[in-house]
């Protein structure tokens, strides 16, 4: 897999939409900026609502060995972690094909909130088990680390999520994590391509007086 420069051309095989979510301050914007522009921004300018960045990549399927590479146009949606934007940001979950669920390795609260974010995803994503990667960011701040790798891995295993530690400061695993998610999304697409549509979330059954509504977020 390799990168290519963004061009105004619309020549690509697939438009893939990813969305980053997690508490405010965990580093979503800085991570995406490092991925698209190769730079670290030390300033904290909390995202207002929603934003997006774009990048072109080439995806080479692992099998068969001489498979045709695909030109991918990646759209990376960056959501605000602040609670006051929640109804706006969750409205964008439905259009995303893969999710970067991020917490800050130096923040206990951001780690505890991962469960809540997963509930939001179950409610608002295009299906109940979308492709999600769990990202522990700010790995460069080893002295301030609160969440051990073992603890994060345990949570990831509990929810069957791949786990990766990143640093938007040093760029450690930034590209690798996006590639990891792309690999999963493309494999899912290849599996569902025969059905000619991406799996669509079924409308929930109408709640009855004796049953709770299926989505309580
Ligand atoms: N040392 C270090 N600082 C980071 C890293 N990632 C982000 N930061 C800093 O953390 C602060 C918050 O980063 P943002 O990317 O703005 O956080 P966010 O998750 O987008 O926050 P919201 O937009 O409010 O949801 C900024 O000052 C960043 O420079 C990292 O990997 N290492
Ligand atoms: Mg932000």
């Amino acid at each position: 897999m390799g990168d290519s420069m963004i061009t105004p051309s619309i020549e690509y095989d697939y438009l893939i939409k990813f969305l980053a979510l997690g508490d405010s301050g965990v580093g979503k914007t800085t991570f995406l900026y490092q991925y698209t522009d190769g730079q670290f921004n030390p300033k904290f300018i909390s995202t207002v609502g929603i934003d997006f960045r774009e990048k072109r990549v080439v995806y080479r399927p692992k099998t068969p060995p001489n498979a045709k590479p695909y030109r991918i146009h990646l759209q990376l949606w960056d959501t605000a972690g602040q609670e006051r934007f929640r109804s706006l940001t969750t409205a964008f979950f439905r259009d995303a094909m893969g999710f970067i669920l991020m917490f800050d390795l130096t923040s206990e609260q951001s780690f505890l909130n991962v469960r809540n974010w997963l509930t939001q995803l179950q409610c608002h994503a295009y299906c109940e088990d979308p492709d999600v990667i769990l990202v522990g960011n700010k790995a460069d701040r080893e002295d301030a680390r609160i969440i051990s790798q073992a603890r994060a891995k345990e949570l990831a295993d509990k929810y069957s999520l791949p786990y990766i530690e990143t640093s938007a400061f040093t760029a450690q695993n930034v590209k690798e994590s996006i590639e990891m998610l792309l690999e999963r999304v493309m494999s899912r697409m290849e599996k569902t391509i025969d059905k000619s549509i991406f799996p669509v979330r079924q409308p929930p059954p109408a709640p009855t007086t004796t049953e709770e509504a299926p989505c309580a977020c």
Side-chain angles (χ1 to χ4, degrees):
M1 202 177 302
D3 308 274
S4 67
M5 296 293 289
I6 300 173
T7 66
S9 139
I10 53 154
E11 284 171 19
Y12 52 82
D13 301 307
Y14 290 108
L15 169 67
I16 302 284
K17 299 179 187 180
F18 288 169
L19 183 141
L21 70 163
D23 277 11
S24 179
V26 298
K28 300 177 295 295
T29 301
T30 316
F31 168 94
L32 294 176
Y33 184 59
Q34 176 63 261
Y35 178 64
T36 56
D37 291 54
Q39 286 176 30
F40 173 71
N41 185 357
K43 282 196 229 118
F44 182 14
I45 303 164
S46 202
T47 303
V48 175
I50 189 126
D51 199 0
F52 76 95
R53 308 194 72 78
E54 294 179 292
K55 184 159 168 132
R56 287 285 175 90
V57 298
V58 174
Y59 169 77
R60 293 192 170 79
K62 291 218 167 84
T63 52
N66 56 350
K68 175 182 167 280
Y70 294 116
R71 295 162 303 175
I72 308 286
H73 187 89
L74 270 184
Q75 228 175 54
L76 303 155
W77 290 89
D78 178 19
T79 61
Q82 287 183 41
E83 177 76 40
R84 66 194 169 113
F85 297 115
R86 196 61 38 87
S87 57
L88 174 82
T89 54
T90 53
F92 283 81
F93 287 15
R94 191 174 288 259
D95 279 343
M97 298 159 182
F99 297 88
I100 301 149
L101 173 46
M102 185 175 286
F103 69 94
D104 177 349
L105 290 165
T106 72
S107 158
E108 176 84 21
Q109 194 55 51
S110 74
F111 180 69
L112 295 177
N113 279 339
V114 163
R115 265 184 48 175
N116 300 336
W117 287 111
L118 282 169
T119 307
Q120 295 284 332
L121 268 183
Q122 271 185 344
C123 286
H124 299 284
Y126 72 90
C127 73
E128 278 174 15
D129 66 334
D131 288 310
V132 184
I133 56 164
L134 182 64
V135 173
N137 189 40
K138 307 195 186 179
D140 58 285
R141 299 194 59 207
E142 200 51 57
D143 51 335
R145 180 195 275 263
I146 288 174
I147 310 301
S148 69
Q149 192 166 26
R151 198 172 155 209
K153 188 78 178 62
E154 195 184 333
L155 182 76
D157 288 348
K158 187 172 161 196
Y159 292 103
S160 307
L161 306 176
Y163 174 62
I164 187 162
E165 295 194 345
T166 62
S167 166
F169 178 56
T170 64
Q172 174 196 329
N173 281 344
V174 168
K175 185 164 167 258
E176 289 76 3
S177 51
I178 300 282
E179 288 178 355
M180 182 195 265
L181 184 57
L182 185 59
E183 183 69 46
R184 297 175 85 87
V185 168
M186 292 304 290
S187 310
R188 184 187 290 240
M189 272 184 57
E190 275 161 14
K191 279 187 208 130
T192 56
I193 215 128
D194 291 342
K195 295 175 192 153
S196 74
I197 53 160
F198 213 65
V200 174
R201 188 187 179 84
Q202 295 300 314
T208 65
T209 46
T210 50
E211 260 180 327
E212 267 189 35
C215 177
C217 3

